[in-house]
Amino acid sequence: MEEKWSRLKSGTDIRGVATEGVPGEDVNLTLEVCETITQAFVLWLSDKLGKVPEELTVSVGRDSRISGPAIAGVVSGALSGCGVTVLDCGLASTPSMFMTTVDLECDGAVQITASHHPFNRNGLKFFTREGGLESENITELLEISQKLSQLFEKGDASSLPQGRKGEIKPTDYMTDYAARLREEIKKGVNADDYDHPLKGFKIAVDAGNGAGGFYADKVLAPLGADTSGSRYLDPDGMFPNHVPNPENKAAMDSICEAVLESGSDLGVIFDTDVDRGGAVDSSGKEINRNRLVAVASAIALEGNNGGTIVTDSITSDGLKEFIEDTLGGKHHRFKRGYKNVINEAIRLNNEGINCPLAIETSGHAAMRENYFLDDGAYLCTKIIIKAAQLRREGKTLEDFISSLKEAKEEREVRYKITEHDFRSYGESVIDKLNEYALTQEGWKLADDSREGVRVSLDRDHGDGWFLLRLSVHDPIMPLNIESNTEGGADVIMAQIEKFIKTCDKLAL
C-alpha cells in the first residue's frame, strides 16, 4: 500500500489530520480521501452482505470536532451517490452508531471521530451488525481505496455503482438511545418513584465539550437527578477547557473539582465520542483505572458467580486479588488495545467460559449484556445504578471496593525504538528480557502474562511489579511500574535501567 493510504490506519480505525492549525502537521485526511474511503466501504459492505448498494441502509454520525460537519456531508454524499439509503444522525456518540444496526436495522454505520485526539485530527470508524471492523478489514478498505483512487486518476469510475441516488434522511437516534439508558436505570434502581429513581441524587457530568453532554440533559435530569454541577456539556470542537479523555490529568482534575464545588454525590466523565467513561466519588476521589475495573467487575459478576473478567495487561496485583479473592471471579490479563480485550472475551465465551466483562484501564468497558460494545455511557449508567442501590443501604461506591489493595506508587516510562524495523527489534528486546529476568535475584516472571514481560519483585527489590511491552501501533516500548512501598518505584526503575542500557536502540 502507498504511504498516503497506509498511514491513515490506526488499529481498527481510520485517523489522520483533517484540518490545519498545528505547525508541522499537514492535512492528510482530506474530504476527497474521506469520500474515496466511504465508497470503498460501500463496495466492501455490499460484497460482505451479498446486497447491491441500493438495498443497503447506513447510518452516519459524528462527534463535536470542527471538521466533523464537512466530513459528515461528504460521507453521506458518497454513500447516497452509490445508491445507499443514509440515516444522518448528526452529533452522536460512537456506541449509539453501532446501536443503529440493532434498533434501526442498519446494515452498517459510520462514526466520524478521532476519540481523544486533538482538535485538528479526525477519523472514520465503521460498524456492521457484528460490531466494529477488525484491523484486517481496515487494511482491506484502504487497499480498495487506493485502487479506486488510481482508477479515478485515469477518469475511470466504472467500479462504482451506476444507479439511482440513495435518500439522505435526518434521524434523531440519540433521543431513542438516551431513552434506552433511562429505562436501564429505572429497571436497575426500581425505586418507589419508578419514573424518578435519581430524585435527591446529585450527579455532575463533564463532557469536555465532546458529544457526551446529552447524558446530563437527556438521561439523568429526566430521572430526577440534580445535574447543576455539570460542566462543559456544550459541543465545541476546539475543546477549549480540557482534552475529553478520562486518562488525562487535567480532565480528571476538572470532574473532581466539579464534584467538590457542587457537593455532588457522584461525578462522571466521558471522552469525545463517549466510548470511554470514568467516575468520581463524593469525596472527589477518582474511580478510574484499577478502581474503575474493580467497580465494573463487581457489578458484572453479580449473577455471574465465578465468571472471568478480561482486562488489559497493566492491571495491578491488588486488582487480581480483589477479583479472585474478594469477588470469587477469575482475572484474565490480556493485551493492551480495547479491541484485543473485547475479542478475547468473545473468544472465551465461545469456548463456554462465562465471561461477562472486557475492560481496559483506559476506560473502555464492554459488557456481554450490551453486545460487548465499549460504551462509556452504558458503563456510567451501570455505576449510577449501583450507587443508587448502595445509597438505599446507607453505603457508597467507596464501600463497594473497600478491600481493593492499591499500590503506593505508579509510574510509566516510554522508550522510543530507533531501529527502522521497530517491531522485530521490540520482540527481540522482549525475548532478551525474558532470559535476563531468570538470572535476577528477587525477580519472578508472571505466569499469566500474555503481552510483553511482566515481573514481580520481592520486598528487598522494590516490592511490586513491572511490565515492559511493545506498543500496539507505534515504535514505542512502554514500561509500567507499581510498588507497594514508598520509594519502591525508584528501586525497581534502577534495576530495569541496567537492562535497558544493554539495548542500544531504545531511548527515552
Side-chain angles (χ1 to χ4, degrees), residues 442 457-464 485 491:
L457 299 98
D458 64 22
R459 287 183 178 272
D460 294 332
H461 294 83
D463 191 17
T485 305
V491 174

Side-chain angles (χ1 to χ4, degrees), residues 266-294:
L266 185 69
V268 296
I269 184 170
F270 302 114
D271 70 346
T272 319
D273 61 326
V274 204
D275 62 358
R276 289 189 293 142
V280 174
D281 66 23
S282 60
S283 69
K285 188 173 183 179
E286 295 180 13
I287 301 173
N288 212 13
R289 299 180 63 78
N290 287 299
R291 290 168 59 80
L292 182 68
V293 178

Side-chain angles (χ1 to χ4, degrees), residues 406-411 459 461-464 481-492:
E406 299 187 71
K408 288 282 197 306
E409 296 182 341
E410 298 179 18
R411 185 175 302 175
R459 287 183 178 272
H461 294 83
D463 191 17
I481 297 173
E482 282 193 10
S483 174
N484 302 312
T485 305
E486 290 185 10
D490 286 337
V491 174
I492 295 173

